[in-house]
Amino acid sequence: MKDWVRSPVRSVPEDWIDYNGHMNLAYYVMAFDHDLDDLLDREIGAGPSFSERHNQGPFALQNHVHYLDELLEGERFYCKFLMLDGDAKRVHIAGSMHREKDDSPVCVMEQVLVNVDHGTRRSAPYPEEIQGRIAAMVELHRDVERPIQIGRPIGLRKSQN
């Protein structure tokens, strides 16, 4: 797993298309969220199954999305993820969405999640075995090339006149 963790391929449904004739920005986030839940379940043990069993789960603290290209109705795409960092309660993840036919990136997402106890609505540490899996994935992904969008601030660039 010294590479991105890849999701299954799927197609853009008709109801995800907006008045500009392409996939609406909200569905990029929803697709990342769905595939990230799957990754957290399969690779870390901290996704929806964990939440059901332990009454805890990941809440998003920050989410930065860079739209690089558009997806059209019926186009097939996949997401892939890198674990950038983590500690007892939080993970920092990068996601990249790609058009299947040419593997070109269409969107990059960067997110920080915190584990929250559903009863107290406060942050809580992950169990030690999950912390170990997070640390192991961070180490495996340490030297994997990151998209240039990761860590960039948001704002308008001012010209130097």
Side-chain angles (χ1 to χ4, degrees):
M1 192 177 15
K2 277 193 168 263
D3 200 5
W4 294 77
V5 179
R6 188 173 158 167
S7 74
V9 174
R10 59 184 141 149
S11 299
V12 178
E14 179 183 3
D15 60 343
W16 287 12
I17 302 302
D18 66 17
Y19 58 85
N20 289 311
H22 60 202
M23 189 162 100
N24 180 270
L25 66 104
Y27 292 106
Y28 288 82
V29 174
M30 189 174 79
F32 275 128
D33 189 53
H34 176 271
D35 289 345
L36 182 55
D37 281 346
D38 183 55
L39 170 136
L40 290 172
D41 240 9
R42 279 184 298 114
E43 305 291 337
I44 304 296
S49 300
F50 168 79
S51 183
E52 215 172 276
R53 286 191 315 276
H54 297 276
N55 202 33
Q56 298 178 7
F59 282 31
L61 293 176
Q62 285 187 40
N63 192 44
H64 297 194
V65 181
H66 299 262
Y67 300 95
L68 309 176
D69 201 352
E70 61 185 357
L71 286 173
L72 305 176
E73 182 181 342
E75 281 195 294
R76 294 172 52 81
F77 69 95
Y78 62 91
C79 297
K80 56 186 192 174
F81 298 93
L82 285 178
M83 186 72 65
L84 302 174
D85 201 1
D87 61 22
K89 297 179 182 182
R90 299 169 300 170
V91 293
H92 181 193
I93 294 175
S96 187
M97 186 179 295
H98 295 257
R99 185 177 290 107
E100 183 194 35
K101 71 180 176 189
D102 59 6
D103 293 318
S104 63
V106 295
C107 193
V108 172
M109 180 268 308
E110 180 178 14
Q111 192 170 78
V112 175
L113 302 169
V114 64
N115 187 49
V116 172
D117 181 296
H118 295 168
T120 65
R121 308 310 277 184
R122 301 293 226 187
S123 65
Y126 283 113
E128 287 195 24
E129 66 272 9
I130 291 176
Q131 290 181 42
R133 288 187 209 113
I134 290 168
M137 187 177 277
V138 167
E139 189 56 37
L140 283 171
H141 290 169
R142 186 165 312 284
D143 297 324
V144 177
E145 186 176 351
R146 279 113 167 90
I148 62 170
Q149 294 81 12
I150 300 302
R152 286 208 173 153
I154 191 169
L156 302 177
R157 288 186 269 168
K158 304 293 184 199
S159 62
Q160 303 290 332
N161 289 355

